[in-house]
Amino acid sequence: MTSTMLPPVAPAPTPAAPAPLPAILGTYKRQAPLFVRGEGVYMIDETGKRYLDFVAGIAVTSLGHNDAGVNAAVQEALAAGLIHTSNLYRTAPGEALAQWLVEHSFASSVFFANSGAEANEGAFKFARRWARSTEHPSKHEIIAVRGSFHGRMPGTLAATDRPAYRLPFRPLMGGVSIVERDLDELRAVLDPETAAAVIVEPIQGEGGVRVVEPAFLRGLRELTRERNVLLILDEIQCGLGRTGSFFAYEQLGIEPDMLTIAKPLANGLPIGAILVNEQVARVMQPGDHGTTFGGGPLLANVAHHVVQRLSDPALLQHVRETGAWFGAQLQAIADRTGAVRAIRGKGLMWGMDVHEPAAAIIARAFDRGLLMVSAGEHTLRFLPPLVITQAELAAGLEMLEASIKG
């Protein structure tokens, strides 16, 4: 009898160790250079390379980087030794900022938040709180329109028309829906007994820099009044001087019931706000909403300085005139290159639809020293600081055209 020797079994390969994770959670695809300084309309990386900023922190640093007035407002607040108190106590900067916003808008009262998404989320709560004061117990629905972007939190994500953002987080918050940007469709869905509010951006930034027709917005204002539904305008990206008026709604001949603002409010420090009219303000009670940090004295002091600068008639005229010139130059690039499908925008907020993926052009522009951002797969978005000069814009346009050509 013979024995058969079996070959030795090879040990199982050791699984490769997973790649180390970045310390900052990987929810953004960040560019490789480390930025260390800012000067005016330029950002500077660790090697000293300067990048012309056509992003402004996504419509945030409207007064540019390292602005002397903003820095002075920060130092003034720090000198008081009162950075934070919570909202259990009154502070002079918070009250001064709120009073300024009330005096320069339709609003009766202001709630301070920490971001644009929080401002919109709070506005949804305010709308439902107001709805409970009406005679209709089922009044709760929030309606957004096609092309909208209102944030990535549970309620605002449900009102954001970006399937890729929504799909991983279903089921979304109930009672929030998106309808076509059409008055007849809105007329069909705005039931006075169930609809609490409609939210719309005067210019849809993330949705492709689409300027919503003034006639549509005026018709929507009439419809919401007729149906006793609140109108919320989201001016988080298009407000505070970006379109050439301090608030975008000022160019429309209407007033909302609530307005949300954030991005440039403190030129980079995190603060948002919900401006509300009297009928909303009167139903809100202590405990209905809250925030630990919103409207703290340091942020409010800086924001008070910023809003006075951004509402300066000379700056707003500069935005209108320079923005019109910029739009014409974008069209000229489109005509010369044949690589552009459409140009849209107002003031210093523009979108350019291109044939190739926007990311490829953005990468080539980055290499040349121009910072840009997209608004969809084939849309370049331009959001430079509002203080940018025509000469600085021209330098960026030269890099843009070269990047479009390859």
Side-chain angles (χ1 to χ4, degrees):
M1 192 173 171
T2 60
S3 63
T4 303
M5 299 290 293
L6 296 176
V9 177
T14 303
L21 291 171
I24 297 178
L25 191 65
T27 58
Y28 286 94
K29 294 180 180 178
R30 298 177 188 268
Q31 297 283 3
L34 183 69
F35 284 100
V36 296
R37 288 191 297 123
E39 292 178 4
V41 296
Y42 289 90
M43 287 170 52
I44 303 161
D45 72 15
E46 59 188 331
T47 71
K49 181 176 178 179
R50 295 166 67 86
Y51 296 78
L52 182 57
D53 189 358
F54 272 20
V55 181
I58 314 182
V60 169
T61 50
S62 289
L63 296 176
H65 304 284
N66 199 25
D67 177 79
V70 172
N71 291 347
V74 171
Q75 292 302 319
E76 180 183 55
L78 291 175
L82 203 62
I83 294 175
H84 174 72
T85 64
S86 88
N87 277 289
L88 296 174
Y89 311 106
R90 299 172 58 201
T91 68
E95 294 191 6
L97 175 60
Q99 188 62 40
W100 192 97
L101 289 168
V102 166
E103 290 174 356
H104 291 81
S105 73
F106 71 95
S108 296
S109 300
V110 179
F111 177 90
F112 292 120
N114 304 291
S115 68
E118 287 184 46
N120 281 338
E121 199 88 2
F124 292 177
K125 282 185 67 178
F126 293 5
R128 287 182 169 175
R129 181 66 179 85
W130 166 81
R132 293 295 183 270
S133 71
T134 71
E135 60 184 335
H136 301 297
S138 298
K139 197 175 180 70
H140 71 284
E141 296 168 349
I142 309 295
I143 312 296
V145 300
R146 188 68 61 203
S148 59
F149 179 92
H150 299 295
R152 300 172 187 255
M153 297 172 72
T156 51
L157 184 60
T160 288
D161 184 26
R162 295 291 289 272
Y165 292 173
R166 294 159 57 94
L167 187 60
F169 305 103
R170 292 181 179 275
L172 303 176
M173 190 177 91
V176 183
S177 58
I178 299 170
V179 304
E180 295 299 327
R181 204 167 49 244
D182 178 83
L183 286 176
D184 288 335
E185 174 132 353
L186 283 159
R187 198 170 283 111
V189 301
L190 288 185
D191 184 338
E193 295 189 6
T194 59
V198 176
I199 184 168
V200 62
E201 303 157 274
I203 300 181
Q204 295 179 323
E206 294 281 343
V209 194
R210 301 188 182 279
V211 180
V212 178
E213 286 294 326
F216 169 82
L217 291 168
R218 288 191 286 268
L220 180 59
R221 174 71 284 189
E222 292 178 12
L223 179 60
T224 53
R225 283 205 175 111
E226 173 191 311
R227 302 290 176 89
N228 195 28
V229 174
L230 298 180
L231 176 62
I232 306 169
L233 290 185
D234 175 345
E235 293 201 10
I236 289 162
Q237 189 167 143
C238 68
L240 304 186
R242 179 62 54 180
T243 66
S245 57
F246 185 67
F247 295 114
Y249 78 80
E250 295 176 272
Q251 301 178 43
L252 303 172
I254 63 171
E255 292 184 347
D257 300 297
M258 286 191 274
L259 179 83
T260 54
I261 53 175
K263 288 182 177 292
L265 186 52
N267 205 61
L269 296 178
I271 182 172
I274 311 166
L275 281 61
V276 303
N277 66 10
E278 184 176 356
Q279 67 170 316
V280 176
R282 289 199 179 279
V283 302
M284 298 301 297
Q285 301 297 318
D288 280 344
H289 198 46
T291 171
T292 297
F293 297 106
L298 189 153
L299 295 172
N301 196 67
V302 176
H304 194 191
H305 169 83
V306 170
V307 293
Q308 292 174 82
R309 296 268 301 281
L310 295 181
S311 62
D312 179 11
L315 177 65
L316 296 174
Q317 182 178 357
H318 166 77
V319 172
R320 292 191 297 271
E321 293 176 353
T322 308
W325 175 86
F326 185 67
Q329 300 307 304
L330 290 176
Q331 187 59 57
I333 290 174
D335 296 339
R336 287 194 296 268
T337 63
V340 177
R341 293 181 295 179
I343 305 288
R344 297 179 298 275
K346 182 182 288 189
L348 285 172
M349 182 176 183
W350 289 86
M352 172 185 273
D353 290 345
V354 290
H355 291 296
E356 72 171 307
I361 298 173
I362 291 171
R364 294 195 293 267
F366 189 89
D367 290 340
R368 289 183 166 91
L370 176 66
L371 302 179
M372 295 193 301
V373 68
S374 65
E377 187 177 353
H378 290 277
T379 302
L380 301 172
R381 182 171 25 156
F382 307 99
L383 301 163
L386 302 187
V387 295
I388 197 167
T389 66
Q390 187 169 308
E392 290 163 338
L393 287 170
L397 287 164
E398 186 176 338
M399 288 186 275
L400 168 66
E401 186 166 358
S403 301
I404 289 173
K405 290 178 178 177

